[in-house]
Amino acid sequence: MTKQWANSLTGRWCFLAFSIFLNACSNGLTVSTNMGSAIWTASAANLSNWLHWSLGNMLLIEGVVVAITNLLLLRRFDYFRLIRNLLYIVPFSYILQGFADLFNYIGVPELNIWLRVILDIIGLFGIAAAVSLYQRANLIMHPNDDFPYILRFRFMHGSAVWSQWTSYIPPIILIIISVIETHQLVAVNFGTVYNILTQGYLIGWSDHHFFSKLHHHLNYKY
């Protein structure tokens, strides 16, 4: 693979397709292990538990709200950006649910706790690597990951760590509200804390080591 091909339009679309598959699969694995999901997925799971809506539907609604928030942060109504966000979240929300069902079917939840911890860590790394890929390809993006990307290059001077931590404030608030209403906490475990502490670092590491020939395509103003 040459650097020229990796950063061509064809290469970027190929990386995007691979990253969507990797992201959905990795998120589904973390849900199935029940050892803690990524913070946005955990917030959707808690909202789903509170409102009694399916996880796929909750992920979709949450994504639409965040997509609109992204436009407010950019201070302009970018129709093209909104469409790109929606193109990602509509299939992704339900593909994730499908992978979670698949991992449940093959018995991941019944594995011993240490194997599930290992699988959860692998899943969380897969999420970070996938986010790094489609942020760099910058064609279409999940609004939950577009959110820290906007923070990163508009407000945080390029820091993947600080932008990621700042972006966790809304889902943490949603989890707290859901727990207050239901007196139950779901999809939050070791992996959630691990995700909060390491996701920014893992994305930054992946930028330089995971298909490193693909660089960031900042082709519009932040």
Side-chain angles (χ1 to χ4, degrees), residues 31 66 118 120 186 195:
V31 171
V66 176
I118 292 171
D120 196 44
V186 299
N195 173 254

Side-chain angles (χ1 to χ4, degrees), residues 44-81:
N46 278 277
L47 287 171
S48 175
N49 183 54
W50 173 25
L51 301 174
H52 304 292
W53 294 350
S54 73
L55 177 60
N57 288 337
M58 202 66 254
L59 285 165
L60 178 62
I61 294 170
E62 190 178 72
V64 171
V65 173
V66 176
I68 295 171
T69 302
N70 291 342
L71 299 183
L72 295 175
L73 287 174
L74 289 172
R75 298 177 185 174
R76 65 181 186 274
F77 199 87
D78 188 336
Y79 291 95
F80 184 54
R81 192 187 197 104

Side-chain angles (χ1 to χ4, degrees), residues 86-157:
L86 295 177
L87 284 173
Y88 193 105
I89 62 175
V90 172
F92 173 79
S93 300
Y94 300 106
I95 293 173
L96 187 159
Q97 181 73 68
F99 270 114
D101 292 341
L102 173 63
F103 287 123
N104 288 341
Y105 176 76
I106 64 177
V108 169
E110 283 72 49
L111 296 174
N112 71 64
I113 188 171
W114 295 112
L115 280 176
R116 286 188 288 123
V117 166
I118 292 171
L119 290 175
D120 196 44
I121 292 173
I122 292 172
L124 292 169
F125 175 77
I127 293 169
V131 171
S132 170
L133 280 182
Y134 63 70
Q135 283 186 342
R136 280 179 280 156
N138 200 10
L139 292 167
I140 66 173
M141 199 180 300
H142 195 295
N144 292 353
D145 298 312
D146 200 14
F147 180 43
Y149 200 60
I150 293 169
L151 294 175
R152 178 179 180 180
F153 290 104
R154 188 177 176 89
F155 302 104
M156 304 290 179
H157 307 291

Side-chain angles (χ1 to χ4, degrees), residues 27 30-49 55 59 96 120 124 175 179 184-196:
N27 268 286
T30 64
V31 171
S32 183
T33 63
N34 198 32
M35 294 307 300
S37 303
I39 189 65
W40 280 105
T41 305
S43 70
N46 278 277
L47 287 171
S48 175
N49 183 54
L55 177 60
L59 285 165
L96 187 159
D120 196 44
L124 292 169
I175 290 172
V179 171
Q184 293 179 321
L185 180 64
V186 299
V188 175
N189 205 320
F190 155 82
T192 311
V193 177
Y194 178 85
N195 173 254
I196 291 173

